Amino acid sequence: MSILDHSIKDIHELLHKKEISVSDLVDQSMKRINEVDGKVQAFLTVDEENARAKAKELDGKLGDNLLFGIPAGIKDNIVTKNLRTTCASKMLENFDPIYDATVMEKLNQQNTVTIGKLNMDEFAMGSTTETSAFKITRNPWDLDRVPGGSSGGSAAAVASGQVPFALGTDTGGSIRQPASFCGVVGMKPTYGRVSRFGLVAFASSLDQAGPITKTVEDNALILQTIAGLDRNDSTTVNKEVPNYVAGLTGDIKGLKIAVPKEYLGEGVSEASRESVLAALKVLEGLGATWEEVSLPHSQYGVATYYLLASSEASANLARFDGVRYGYRTPNPKNLMELYKKSRSEGFGDEVKRRIMLGTFALSSGFYDAYYKKAQQVRTLIKQDFDDVFSKYDVIIGPTTPTPAYKIGEVVHDVVTMYMRDLLTIPVNLAGLPGISVPCGFTEGLPLGLQIIGKHFDEQTIYRVAHAYEQATNFHQQKPQL
């Protein structure tokens, strides 16, 4: 068993007893990357020289905080000072930032060791990591299958034991869905809980950074480290960040669970449905109760999401124009050609598709019919959640309707394609927190349980997820690479 397969708390104890050094941890991470990343393809950049230098510097010290010396992988749309940040796009192929994102500053203050940057769908647009301009990341449980996306590299790196934890980002399910596909724990925090400063924007009203880990306790530890008010991000909220780890009591007696009928309906595979019902039985055994409810407007979630996210993307990605930074076409004849060619050559097909959709939705004559209408429906979706949360503590359902699918596979079942997004997108539209935890296997592939909570109530989500995790052993299973 590798040192990196232990929990963060256990690794910290080994460091404290001086049974291992930070350099040992980095050695193990590099060794594992050399062994398996040729198959998994999770990393875009491995920063071995700086990681070893930082480890050597920390070896002579003793940090009290639990994250001291812990290796980390970072999704490649989170800005890292002097470490290439590409968003998996030709547009930013050679971009070396001059500052750190706030989440990186917070990790650096705890003396974590950044191992490198992780593959993703280009500019976080996709759900398979197949739209990356550089490589296709593979699922460690089956190398012929996708790891999910857009944080596919982050989930695959943790699942394959290359790093104990990674940061991902979630705009419509991009932490939870790959966590489900790869059999790890992924948390999308409440909108405003974690700073977006230094996160390359896709859709500013939906994006949130969050942790991907092997266990719920590790996840809680990372979130309480990166969360909090940030003067550089006016959308962060001035609310005290609880000690999430201390709240993992295992006690969920009297907890009220809502199970939306829409989340177990047509398009959800029998295996996913059965795994959720089995999980509910486990939670019942721990003293919780559950009832079926309805979220009637969730059926409009996918259309609403694609209009709003694409509209915000078209505005956010206007900055990549070949003038200030990023890819620039060689030898343009004039300014208009510079703009056109730089963008058409620098962006991939999926990104261009969403920019065009968003530009259309925001254009004169169509704004009211599309963008404004989508914002109104978004309010109705949020109200559905508010109504349910007035009577229940958490909402539970599958994270994804099926396990991971094959690379290059086009699912011809339109209903399943629809459900794939329906289960995760409404959480982002309403700004709610949600977690995916392993809850079973089908044909050797992991399935995820999604637990959704009230605004800024990550504490309850973690408590439920941890109680469930402790009563099962799905999180202890590892892919055989």
Side-chain angles (χ1 to χ4, degrees):
M1 183 178 180
S2 163
I3 307 168
L4 301 183
D5 288 330
H6 289 77
S7 71
I8 289 173
K9 191 187 274 183
D10 288 346
I11 294 172
H12 173 74
E13 281 180 21
L14 292 170
L15 282 171
H16 238 246
K17 291 175 184 170
K18 300 198 171 171
E19 291 178 24
I20 58 168
S21 66
V22 179
S23 288
D24 291 335
L25 291 175
V26 173
D27 284 343
Q28 285 285 328
S29 185
M30 293 303 166
K31 181 178 174 223
R32 187 65 177 162
I33 289 168
N34 289 332
E35 285 171 356
V36 305
D37 204 51
K39 302 174 194 169
V40 177
Q41 301 279 303
F43 278 90
L44 286 176
T45 306
V46 177
D47 193 21
E48 183 170 1
E49 187 182 339
N50 286 319
R52 290 193 183 280
K54 176 92 179 267
K56 202 170 177 186
E57 177 195 323
L58 296 178
D59 281 341
K61 301 174 183 173
L62 204 59
D64 286 331
N65 69 77
L66 290 172
L67 291 181
F68 180 88
I70 303 294
I74 309 298
K75 188 176 178 181
D76 207 24
N77 61 343
I78 295 171
V79 166
T80 43
K81 188 176 182 179
N82 300 325
L83 177 57
R84 187 143 297 177
T85 301
T86 69
C87 291
S89 177
K90 186 179 174 185
M91 182 60 81
L92 289 174
E93 196 170 9
N94 300 307
F95 177 53
D96 297 321
I98 56 171
Y99 70 100
D100 271 321
T102 298
V103 290
M104 291 309 302
E105 286 182 353
K106 290 185 177 231
L107 289 180
N108 291 336
Q109 284 163 9
Q110 301 295 307
N111 282 309
T112 59
V113 180
T114 300
I115 296 296
K117 303 302 286 292
L118 295 159
N119 197 25
M120 55 184 280
D121 284 296
E122 185 181 4
F123 281 101
M125 297 181 195
S127 55
T128 63
T129 314
E130 290 173 290
T131 70
S132 167
F134 305 120
K135 56 171 75 171
I136 294 174
T137 300
R138 294 168 182 273
N139 192 314
W141 293 90
D142 179 349
L143 297 171
D144 291 330
R145 294 179 185 267
V146 300
S150 60
S151 308
S154 299
V158 173
S160 57
Q162 298 181 61
V163 284
F165 81 92
L167 292 188
T169 64
D170 193 310
T171 305
S174 290
I175 286 173
R176 290 157 290 149
Q177 184 247 30
S180 174
F181 279 3
C182 292
V184 290
V185 179
M187 166 65 94
K188 181 258 163 197
T190 307
Y191 184 80
R193 176 59 96 186
V194 176
S195 172
R196 290 182 298 107
F197 181 74
L199 163 58
V200 180
F202 162 17
S204 303
S205 75
L206 300 163
D207 301 338
Q208 273 289 274
I212 295 177
T213 58
K214 290 191 176 78
T215 68
V216 172
E217 184 177 37
D218 285 358
N219 205 282
L221 175 64
I222 306 301
L223 183 59
Q224 71 188 40
T225 301
I226 63 173
L229 181 69
D230 178 18
R231 63 184 178 80
N232 290 320
D233 178 3
S234 61
T235 61
T236 52
V237 175
N238 189 12
K239 282 180 88 76
E240 186 184 349
V241 179
N243 185 330
Y244 295 126
V245 176
L248 303 178
T249 60
D251 179 18
I252 57 166
K253 286 188 182 66
L255 185 98
K256 293 181 177 175
I257 300 168
V259 181
K261 63 182 182 185
E262 291 84 2
Y263 288 10
L264 293 175
E266 191 184 354
V268 176
S269 72
E270 195 56 37
S272 291
R273 188 183 294 110
E274 289 302 321
S275 71
V276 170
L277 293 172
L280 289 167
K281 270 209 174 87
V282 171
L283 294 169
E284 273 186 317
L286 295 169
T289 58
W290 68 274
E291 291 176 355
E292 188 174 84
V293 298
S294 178
L295 295 169
H297 293 99
S298 60
Q299 63 178 304
Y300 307 114
V302 177
T304 301
Y305 168 83
Y306 278 104
L307 279 166
L308 296 179
S310 299
S311 296
E312 293 182 23
S314 79
N316 279 325
L317 271 61
R319 69 193 68 172
F320 303 107
D321 54 10
V323 176
R324 287 154 291 196
Y325 62 97
Y327 174 80
R328 176 183 293 193
T329 190
N331 308 315
K333 294 191 183 104
N334 52 48
L335 185 63
M336 192 52 69
E337 189 171 281
L338 169 71
Y339 289 151
K340 279 185 181 176
K341 285 198 168 178
S342 295
R343 288 170 68 77
S344 61
E345 292 165 11
F347 289 134
D349 288 346
E350 183 61 29
V351 174
K352 286 189 270 199
R353 196 175 292 124
R354 298 200 194 195
I355 289 172
M356 289 171 72
L357 172 61
T359 304
F360 170 77
L362 291 173
S363 61
S364 176
F366 298 101
Y367 178 92
D368 284 351
Y370 294 104
Y371 181 77
K372 186 179 174 186
K373 187 68 72 181
Q375 289 286 27
Q376 290 168 331
V377 176
R378 180 182 195 168
T379 302
L380 294 175
I381 290 169
K382 181 184 175 297
Q383 285 171 355
D384 283 350
F385 280 113
D386 290 345
D387 289 345
V388 170
F389 280 128
S390 67
K391 304 183 194 95
Y392 299 91
D393 299 302
V394 292
I395 293 170
I396 281 181
T399 310
T400 59
T402 64
Y405 33 94
K406 292 202 166 170
I407 290 168
E409 179 185 325
V410 178
V411 178
H412 298 293
D413 180 352
V414 177
V415 180
T416 299
M417 287 279 287
Y418 176 77
M419 286 302 295
R420 192 178 294 159
D421 287 330
L422 176 71
L423 295 168
T424 54
I425 276 173
V427 171
N428 297 76
L429 290 170
L432 295 165
I435 199 170
S436 178
V437 293
C439 72
F441 290 85
T442 178
E443 299 171 12
L445 297 168
L447 296 166
L449 181 75
Q450 182 173 211
I451 306 168
I452 303 164
K454 300 172 186 176
H455 289 103
F456 299 101
D457 193 17
E458 288 87 356
Q459 183 80 288
T460 300
I461 294 178
Y462 278 135
R463 188 159 52 88
V464 178
H466 183 255
Y468 173 73
E469 183 184 77
Q470 296 306 297
T472 57
N473 66 355
F474 301 120
H475 65 289
Q476 293 168 350
Q477 321 245 358
K478 293 179 180 60
Q480 301 302 310
L481 276 162

